[in-house]
Amino acid sequence: MAPKKSAQALAENQGASDHVTTPFDDDVLAHFRALILDKRKDAVEDVAKMQAQIKDSRERSESDSAYSFHMADAGTDAMEREKLYLMLARQQKYIGYLDRALERIDNRTYGICKVTGNPISRERLEAVPHTEISIEAKLKQKR
């Protein structure tokens, strides 16, 4: 029963944060928007580079004959492609977090912890501008 209570408490806290507006003024929100957009631009560029590497790797593997390189090399190439796919998925997830942060800026809920409903410190947002939870909530989750 304990997990249901904590889920219910979480839902109640999330509901509370829906009614709380950002503790930041328009200038601070503009600063965070620029910071997030810069990080998003870098992440999108990384995704494009990784997609190009994957395409190049795939094309090379298709054009190589079975006898043109050692089996260990083929395994290494496959492992590198798999790593690229994982990094690509991670960057795409990160872009989603950044997009949600931009939505929170737009609807003026940016900087409100979705767990506690309290303001997230500016220092935390400077370090992790896409965060949705405060340090206090993060520490509670680890317990």
Side-chain angles (χ1 to χ4, degrees):
M1 285 300 231
K4 286 186 179 179
K5 288 182 182 178
S6 60
Q8 182 181 6
L10 179 62
E12 289 171 3
N13 285 332
Q14 284 178 337
S17 67
D18 290 343
H19 303 299
V20 180
T21 59
T22 184
F24 303 116
D25 63 24
D26 290 341
D27 292 337
V28 175
L29 289 176
H31 163 75
F32 282 116
R33 176 182 298 282
L35 182 65
I36 292 166
L37 287 172
D38 188 47
K39 289 183 179 292
R40 189 182 189 289
K41 180 179 146 273
D42 292 343
V44 168
E45 288 172 3
D46 288 345
V47 164
K49 288 177 190 173
M50 285 185 261
Q51 288 173 331
Q53 288 176 322
I54 289 169
K55 181 181 177 191
D56 182 53
S57 175
R58 204 177 307 132
E59 287 172 357
R60 271 188 287 123
S61 71
E62 290 171 0
S63 67
D64 289 337
S65 74
Y67 301 106
S68 65
F69 56 91
H70 194 275
M71 284 177 52
D73 292 336
T76 300
D77 289 346
M79 181 95 123
E80 288 299 314
R81 268 194 310 277
E82 183 66 24
K83 239 175 26 179
L84 273 172
Y85 279 116
L86 292 172
M87 291 186 331
L88 178 64
R90 184 173 186 229
Q91 280 299 91
Q92 289 172 328
K93 188 175 181 180
Y94 177 58
I95 291 169
Y97 291 147
L98 294 171
D99 288 342
R100 285 201 313 267
L102 291 170
E103 288 173 14
R104 289 191 306 278
I105 288 173
D106 290 342
N107 67 24
R108 304 197 59 81
T109 59
Y110 183 78
I112 302 298
C113 178
K114 75 175 195 176
V115 175
T116 65
N118 296 326
I120 300 171
S121 72
R122 183 170 179 169
E123 293 80 17
R124 174 151 171 79
L125 291 168
E126 290 286 347
V128 187
H130 60 279
T131 191
E132 297 178 335
I133 61 173
S134 63
I135 291 289
E136 298 78 19
K138 182 100 174 156
L139 293 173
K140 285 180 185 178
Q141 286 180 346
K142 287 186 177 185
R143 292 182 196 164

